[in-house]
Amino acid sequence: MEDPLQNLEEHLGALHATWAGALPQFGLIPGRAGTVMKQMSSSGLVAVTDALAQIRRDTEALLTCAAAEVSQRSGAEFGVDGLAKACGFHNPARLIAASTGTSVTEASRLIRVGVATASRESFSGLLPPAHPHVADALSSGTIGVDAADLITAMLDRVANRADPALAVEVEEILVEHAVNLPLELLARAVKEAEAGLDQDGLEPADELRWQSRSLTFREHRDGMIHLNARLDPLTAAGIKTAIDALVTAALRQQRGVGSTGRGTTDRAAWDSTDGECVVSGAETRGGRSAIDDTRTIPQMQADALADLVTHNLGCSSADTALATTTTVVRMDVEGLIDGVGRATIDGIDQPISAASARLLATDGEFLPLVLGEASVPLDMGRKARLFSREQRLALGERDGGCASCGQNIRYAHAHHIRWWERDGGPTDLDNGVMLCSFCHHMIHRDGWGIAIRAGTVWFTPPPQIDPLQKPRIGGRERFRVKVRALV
């Protein structure tokens, strides 16, 4: 007979062993957990953190089962005799929230996942869960509740329109992604999968999101004005592109890098892979500001919004950072021609319908990047040091943003893998990679290796991070849902 507590008990035993192994052999000062953890080795502390996270996943999996059963016993058909009302609670979510000390929203998530992964009753007996792959991964503690909720909620949304066999295949792939990806990248994979499973629903969803757009203002007691905007991807695309362009220009100015007067999708003056600033006289006019810029990025974004409004009210010429900035819309040739299929907007994870993308493509401020069409040469060899605009668009398609961490594509820049000066590296796609500034610094500081194999980015960790130096996949392939019918 299967013991539901077996995983938890085994992992508790593993935690005891890991905890003991992380402590010094002599001179341990007893005390609370925090006092003891301060005496752990760094590697031991990481191992203990992993063990605790495993137990948390085990406990959450059991909580989802309990939450689903509490919900079942609190159904409307029981009236005042339902479990939640009998215990003095308005609904099962409030009972679970009181028991766990969490919010009603979190309790509702536990119930939702528990119901989605529970075995189903029928006249002939128990049926497998509606989402068996998620249920197995959750019960084994392989994935957490948040990942399970992302996947099951999406599958439930498309259940009436998606091919059932294809949905099961996608579920299995997303569970594999959930094991290896941070939640932010898993969310991107889930959105891509939903767009592929329910292509007929893309255009109605675009319309529904557009109808739900809103912008409200509220003045707080302290005098600050609170703006709350809910924008659909089409409405937000141009706004986000413009603000990102102004913030990127401000960050370059803050770091003392001359502005080229071009937007984030145009040629950059900074080739940080080679560790040098490649500038001409016109490119160094900006330089570092006479007054140190200590603004945070949220403050820069607020200032950028104000600058956009001020410019629109009183100026007739574009800001230099916006003069050639465009929003990139990516779609295939068929989508551009007949409006069927899906498309994406650089900087926004939510896919849109090809029909909506065609509307954007008619605007001069939006650049349609048509995948699969004949284009300009993308390998420049040693003819040019800086990656061209076309090359960076192609690298962005391959890498999906920072190839290492998945950072928004507007905060990632093209870098030579083999340096231009030191290694004689060519300015080719197979020698280029999109990286954010943090990952770029970390890769050079710690000695990571980067290779492009068959159009896929691979990162090789240094021996101090992984003694086996097992390559790790990067770029868009990390979260791509590889199902033939969705490609």
Side-chain angles (χ1 to χ4, degrees):
M1 180 179 178
E2 183 179 354
D3 182 1
L5 299 180
Q6 181 177 352
N7 282 343
L8 180 59
E9 291 171 346
E10 289 179 355
H11 292 144
L12 277 172
L15 173 61
H16 281 289
T18 303
W19 186 283
L23 297 173
Q25 294 183 353
F26 305 101
L28 176 66
I29 301 173
R32 294 177 181 271
T35 300
V36 175
M37 285 182 174
K38 287 183 181 296
Q39 303 169 69
M40 292 180 175
S41 64
S42 294
S43 59
L45 179 60
V46 172
V48 166
T49 302
D50 289 341
L52 287 168
Q54 179 62 65
I55 290 173
R56 176 181 175 177
R57 290 192 295 272
D58 293 335
T59 305
E60 284 184 337
L62 292 171
L63 268 174
T64 62
C65 296
E69 186 60 27
V70 167
S71 179
Q72 173 69 28
R73 299 187 188 189
S74 304
E77 66 272 20
F78 295 106
V80 296
D81 295 326
L83 181 57
K85 286 185 170 61
C87 293
F89 294 95
H90 181 67
N91 55 47
R94 292 186 181 277
L95 190 159
I96 298 297
S99 296
T100 58
T102 57
S103 65
V104 173
T105 299
E106 178 59 29
S108 298
R109 180 182 295 111
L110 291 172
I111 293 173
R112 189 166 57 244
V113 172
V115 171
T117 56
S119 297
R120 295 166 294 170
E121 296 181 358
S122 71
F123 292 111
S124 58
L126 289 178
L127 298 175
H131 308 297
H133 297 293
V134 175
D136 289 345
L138 184 67
S139 64
S140 66
T142 306
I143 66 173
V145 169
D146 288 344
D149 189 39
L150 271 177
I151 298 171
T152 56
M154 181 276 289
L155 292 171
D156 288 342
R157 283 195 298 271
V158 303
N160 293 331
R161 297 178 297 274
D163 176 82
L166 188 59
V168 171
E169 188 177 351
V170 168
E171 177 192 347
E172 183 176 11
I173 293 171
L174 289 175
V175 167
E176 293 174 1
H177 281 333
V179 175
N180 301 306
L181 290 180
L183 202 63
E184 295 79 9
L185 287 185
L186 176 64
R188 291 177 66 177
V190 169
K191 288 178 179 179
E192 288 287 344
E194 182 171 5
L197 284 170
D198 185 24
Q199 294 197 21
D200 290 340
L202 279 174
E203 197 167 349
D206 286 346
E207 175 67 17
L208 180 61
R209 280 189 286 264
W210 183 75
Q211 293 288 356
S212 301
R213 72 198 185 284
S214 66
L215 174 64
T216 58
F217 297 82
R218 186 172 73 254
E219 185 171 351
H220 284 242
R221 292 179 180 177
D222 61 3
M224 296 294 286
I225 309 300
H226 181 84
L227 278 69
N228 183 25
R230 295 184 70 251
L231 304 177
D232 60 287
L234 274 70
T235 302
I239 299 171
K240 191 173 188 300
T241 297
I243 290 178
D244 284 348
L246 291 173
V247 170
T248 298
L251 287 172
R252 287 175 177 165
Q253 187 85 357
Q254 189 183 65
R255 295 165 184 168
V257 180
S259 172
T260 62
R262 300 170 189 243
T264 56
T265 59
D266 218 319
R267 177 167 295 186
W270 181 248
D271 187 358
S272 55
T273 298
D274 292 20
E276 301 176 15
C277 185
V278 185
V279 294
S280 66
E283 292 168 337
T284 57
R285 286 197 300 265
R288 184 178 292 278
S289 173
I291 300 174
D292 287 342
D293 188 348
T294 59
R295 293 177 297 169
T296 64
I297 288 181
Q299 288 172 330
M300 289 181 180
Q301 291 177 156
D303 292 344
L305 178 60
D307 289 345
L308 287 171
V309 174
T310 301
H311 168 80
N312 193 56
L313 288 174
C315 298
S316 58
S317 59
D319 184 287
T320 54
L322 300 175
T324 58
T325 297
T326 53
T327 299
V328 179
V329 184
R330 300 173 187 265
M331 70 185 96
D332 58 27
V333 177
E334 291 77 11
L336 183 63
I337 295 173
D338 56 28
V340 176
R342 63 187 187 274
T344 58
I345 303 170
D346 275 10
I348 296 178
D349 293 339
Q350 177 62 53
I352 61 175
S353 66
S356 297
R358 291 174 72 193
L359 294 177
L360 290 181
T362 62
D363 191 322
E365 301 303 317
F366 291 82
L367 173 68
L369 178 65
V370 182
L371 310 178
E373 67 174 357
S375 60
V376 297
L378 294 180
D379 288 334
M380 304 297 290
R382 298 287 294 174
K383 296 177 182 177
R385 173 172 184 166
L386 298 179
F387 287 94
S388 69
R389 176 179 184 169
E390 292 78 16
Q391 286 177 310
R392 290 197 311 281
L393 289 173
L395 288 172
E397 176 62 27
R398 185 195 70 192
D399 296 348
C402 176
S404 174
C405 71
Q407 173 64 279
N408 188 313
I409 194 169
R410 298 201 176 280
Y411 296 106
H413 303 283
H415 301 280
H416 289 84
I417 297 173
R418 288 184 291 120
W419 292 12
W420 171 271
E421 289 286 358
R422 189 191 69 182
D423 305 325
T427 306
D428 296 343
L429 293 187
D430 283 347
N431 193 45
V433 64
M434 299 294 286
L435 296 171
C436 67
S437 58
F438 173 79
C439 289
H440 171 246
H441 176 75
M442 178 192 67
I443 283 167
H444 286 299
R445 182 196 66 192
D446 295 340
W448 287 70
I450 308 176
I452 310 297
R453 304 191 189 104
T456 299
V457 185
W458 292 89
F459 293 91
T460 301
Q464 70 269 23
I465 292 179
D466 179 6
L468 299 178
Q469 293 191 280
K470 182 180 179 181
R472 304 177 184 181
I473 194 169
R476 196 182 294 273
E477 289 299 312
R478 290 180 68 193
F479 53 87
R480 192 187 300 275
V481 179
K482 295 180 181 178
V483 179
R484 183 175 301 176
L486 298 186
V487 176

